[in-house]
Amino acid sequence: MKIIILAGGKGTRLWPLSREKHAKQFLKLVDQKTLLEATYERVLKLASAGDIVTITNKDYYFYVKDICEKFSSALAKNIICEPVGRNTAPAIALGIQFILDKLHAGQGESVFIFPSDQVIKPMEKFIAYMRKAAAAAEKGYLVTLGIKPTKPETGYGYIKTGKSLGDCNVCEKFTEKPNLPTAKKYLASKKFLWNAGIFAFRIDAFLSQLKILQPQIYKNISKGYDRAVARFNEMPSISVDYAVMEKAKNVAVVNMDVFWTDLGSWDSFYEMGKKDEDGNALIGHVYTVGTKNSLVFSNKRMVTTVGMDDTIVVETDDAVLVASRGKTQDVKKLLDELKKSDAEELNEHTESHRPWGTYKVLEKSPRYKIKKIMVKPKETLSLQLHHHRSEHWVVIKGTAEVTVGKKTFYVHEGESTFVPKSTTHRLANPGNVPLEIIEVQNGESVVESDIVRFKDKYKR
C-alpha cells in the first residue's frame, strides 16, 4: 500500500490565522499539533514512512520537510513540489507516476489519497474503515470515503449511496455544496453522506479511468515522472472529483461513522471546540461578559467581549476578524477584497518561516524595520546585499558567525555588529542551540524584495 498526502492547499477561509504563505495544515489547531502532523500520525498506522508521498508547493516545501523530519528521514525523501497549482487531479496523477517511477511500485499496488487538513477521531475506528476501503480497492473499485452527516451542512459536498456491496455501497452520484433546503432533504433521506475527500484505489484501476476521462492528464504522466514535472503547467486545473470520481462507473463509498471535520471555516472550528456553560468556545487570553454561543480566539493580545451572541472573533498580531456565526464561509469574499487592495496581511503573518529559521517583525515604518530573527543550529542565510538599507544586529542568544565584506568573525550574546548599505554579508549559526538576534533595518526602503543573493544553499 502507498499513500499520497495532499498538502498544497491554502485554506484561507481560516484567515487571519491562515495566510497564503502559512496555510492551515501548518497551524497548531488541535492538541498542540499541526493538522499535517496529525495526518502523518494517522497514516503511519497504515503504511511505513517510505511508502508515503507528500505533494505540496515550493512555498511550503520547508514547512513540510521540517514536519516530516520529526517522524522520519524516509518521510522527508518523498516530497513532491508542484511547479504550479493545478488542483487535485493532476497532483494525484503526478503522485501516482512518482510511486511507479521512483518507488518502483507495480500497477496492482493500492493507493490511498488523504487531505492534510482534517480532524478525524477516534483513531481505532478510522483504521477499521480504512481496511474496508482497502479491501474494496483490491476488488477494482475506485473508493471514496463518506461521513455520516449530523446536520444539514451547506459547506460540504455530498455522496448519494446506492445498493450494498457488503462493507461499502455503490456510489450513485456526487453533489456539490447544496443550499439549506436541499441539505435538509439529504439529511432526512439517510442516503447521503458528506464527501470526506479521501480516496483509495489500485493504480491500474485509476489509470484506466484517467485514460478515458482525462486523456490530457494521462498523456502527460504516461511518459514518466520527470517529463510530467517538466510539462506540469500544460495540465488542466481540475479536481479529482470532477475529473474522475463523478464520471467513473466503478465507484464505491465506505460510510464512516466518526468525528470528522476539514476545518473549512471558523464555524466548523467553533463546532469542534469545547464550550463553556454559555455555549462559548474561548481560546487564549479571553474575557467575556454577557456573551453566548460565540467563538473568541486570542492569538496574542487580551480579547474581551460584552453582550455578543453568535459571533466569531479571531485576533492575530496584525489583523482581527469579527463575523456572525453561520457567515464565515464568506471570508473568501473578504479575501477577494483584500487582494484588490494588495494587503500584506493576506499573504504572511508578522512571523515568517524560512528554511533556515524564522523572523518576526516587531515594528516597522517606511524608513525602518525591527525584527527578531531565529536561525536554527548549523543553518546559514544566503550571502547577500541590500542596496537601500543598512542593518544593525544584536545577539540576544547564542553565537553568530558573521561575514561582512571580506571579513568573517563571531558575535556573542550581548554584542552587536553593523552591516553597511550595499555590502555583501551573511549570518550563520555555528552552534547547537538556536541563534536569536534583533535586527534593525534603516534606509530609504526596508522591503523584503531589496535582497540580491550571491550564494544560497536553498537555491532561492
Side-chain angles (χ1 to χ4, degrees):
M1 179 191 295
K2 300 291 189 289
I3 289 173
I4 295 174
I5 306 293
L6 302 174
K10 304 290 185 182
T12 46
R13 277 176 290 187
L14 286 186
W15 187 89
L17 205 60
S18 177
R19 307 284 173 103
E20 288 274 352
K21 294 187 177 180
H22 192 77
K24 67 176 178 177
Q25 58 265 33
F26 309 119
L27 299 174
K28 293 184 178 181
L29 295 176
V30 181
D31 301 329
Q32 293 302 304
K33 297 173 188 173
T34 67
L35 295 176
L36 182 55
E37 283 179 274
T39 302
Y40 286 135
E41 286 185 353
R42 284 195 298 273
V43 302
L44 283 167
K45 301 288 186 182
L46 300 170
S48 63
D51 290 328
I52 298 169
V53 176
T54 306
I55 303 178
T56 187
N57 61 62
K58 61 182 180 180
D59 288 337
Y60 299 162
Y61 172 75
F62 288 100
Y63 288 107
V64 174
K65 183 172 179 287
D66 285 349
I67 292 172
C68 283
E69 288 176 343
K70 292 181 180 179
F71 293 93
S72 165
S73 59
L75 199 59
K77 289 179 180 178
N78 295 338
I79 301 174
I80 299 172
C81 287
E82 297 173 281
V84 292
R86 285 292 183 267
N87 216 316
T88 55
I92 290 168
L94 185 66
I96 287 171
Q97 198 61 44
F98 179 93
I99 289 169
L100 290 171
D101 288 6
K102 306 300 182 180
L103 301 187
H104 309 295
Q107 292 267 344
E109 184 98 33
S110 290
V111 177
F112 270 92
I113 313 296
F114 291 101
S116 60
D117 57 358
Q118 299 184 343
V119 180
I120 304 174
K121 298 178 181 179
M123 180 78 78
E124 297 76 20
K125 290 182 74 174
F126 164 78
I127 298 298
Y129 286 122
M130 293 308 103
R131 289 184 180 133
K132 291 180 181 180
E138 282 296 319
K139 295 175 182 177
Y141 289 103
L142 304 184
V143 183
T144 183
L145 279 295
I147 304 296
K148 183 179 179 180
T150 57
K151 61 176 183 174
E153 174 62 58
T154 60
Y156 299 145
Y158 283 73
I159 299 167
K160 186 178 181 181
T161 61
K163 70 176 183 179
S164 174
L165 297 171
D167 285 336
C168 58
N169 292 78
V170 169
C171 177
E172 286 198 0
K173 71 172 183 177
F174 288 76
T175 304
E176 280 303 295
K177 300 171 183 177
N179 58 27
L180 185 58
T182 303
K184 288 180 178 178
K185 290 179 183 177
Y186 288 171
L187 183 66
S189 77
K190 301 186 185 304
K191 292 183 179 180
F192 286 83
L193 305 172
W194 290 335
N195 184 356
I198 300 171
F199 307 101
F201 43 72
R202 282 170 48 121
I203 290 175
D204 53 4
F206 181 79
L207 290 181
S208 66
Q209 291 298 306
L210 191 71
K211 185 176 183 179
I212 297 167
L213 301 170
Q214 298 296 325
Q216 185 179 353
I217 297 176
Y218 180 82
K219 181 180 177 182
N220 274 11
I221 67 163
S222 62
K223 295 179 181 178
Y225 172 77
D226 294 329
R227 182 177 171 86
V229 170
R231 306 189 69 169
F232 195 76
N233 63 328
E234 298 175 10
M235 298 272 203
S237 181
I238 187 170
S239 73
V240 71
D241 300 75
Y242 281 133
V244 177
M245 302 302 289
E246 293 185 12
K247 299 178 176 69
K249 303 300 183 185
N250 58 330
V251 180
V253 57
V254 172
N255 180 352
M256 290 200 297
D257 186 8
V258 295
F259 174 84
W260 171 92
T261 177
D262 68 350
L263 289 180
S265 69
W266 285 112
D267 283 310
S268 60
F269 190 89
Y270 166 79
E271 289 162 8
M272 184 187 71
K274 183 179 179 180
K275 315 296 192 302
D276 65 13
E277 63 273 14
D278 292 316
N280 297 317
L282 307 178
I283 300 168
H285 196 190
V286 173
Y287 294 90
T288 64
V289 173
T291 296
K292 295 182 178 180
N293 305 317
S294 297
L295 167 66
V296 187
F297 187 112
S298 163
N299 190 53
K300 180 180 178 182
R301 294 165 289 182
M302 178 195 295
V303 177
T304 60
T305 64
V306 178
M308 300 179 71
D309 292 341
D310 297 311
T311 304
I312 304 288
V313 181
V314 182
E315 175 270 345
T316 67
D317 286 6
D318 58 345
V320 176
L321 171 71
V322 181
S324 297
R325 267 189 58 213
K327 297 290 185 180
T328 60
Q329 291 286 348
D330 290 342
V331 167
K332 194 170 184 180
K333 296 178 183 177
L334 174 65
L335 299 188
D336 290 339
E337 294 300 312
L338 292 180
K339 284 180 182 177
K340 293 176 185 177
S341 63
D342 232 8
E344 290 181 1
E345 293 83 357
L346 181 65
N347 295 315
E348 294 199 60
H349 288 281
T350 55
E351 182 171 85
S352 296
H353 292 251
R354 294 293 184 265
W356 43 261
T358 62
Y359 72 80
K360 184 178 180 65
V361 177
L362 304 177
E363 184 67 48
K364 65 179 179 178
S365 81
R367 289 194 62 88
Y368 76 87
K369 185 184 289 183
I370 304 173
K371 291 180 176 180
K372 180 181 177 182
I373 296 175
M374 186 281 290
V375 184
K376 294 184 284 190
K378 309 299 182 183
E379 293 293 347
T380 303
L381 281 68
S382 59
L383 182 67
Q384 58 186 252
L385 66 75
H386 313 292
H387 287 301
H388 303 289
R389 69 177 186 253
S390 62
E391 296 178 344
H392 285 83
W393 294 340
V394 180
V395 176
I396 58 176
K397 181 181 177 182
T399 297
E401 182 181 282
V402 175
T403 298
V404 178
K406 295 183 179 180
K407 294 183 178 179
T408 298
F409 51 94
Y410 292 99
V411 182
H412 302 281
E413 190 173 310
E415 297 176 348
S416 64
T417 191
F418 174 67
V419 181
K421 188 186 302 183
S422 298
T423 303
T424 57
H425 59 279
R426 171 179 271 165
L427 176 66
N429 179 5
N432 296 316
V433 297
L435 167 67
E436 295 180 13
I437 73 167
I438 298 296
E439 175 181 273
V440 181
Q441 303 175 3
N442 180 231
E444 60 268 25
S445 175
V446 291
V447 296
E448 292 303 316
S449 58
D450 181 24
I451 299 178
V452 180
R453 290 191 175 93
F454 298 97
K455 294 179 181 179
D456 181 40
K457 65 183 287 187
Y458 310 107
K459 299 179 182 179
R460 291 171 294 172

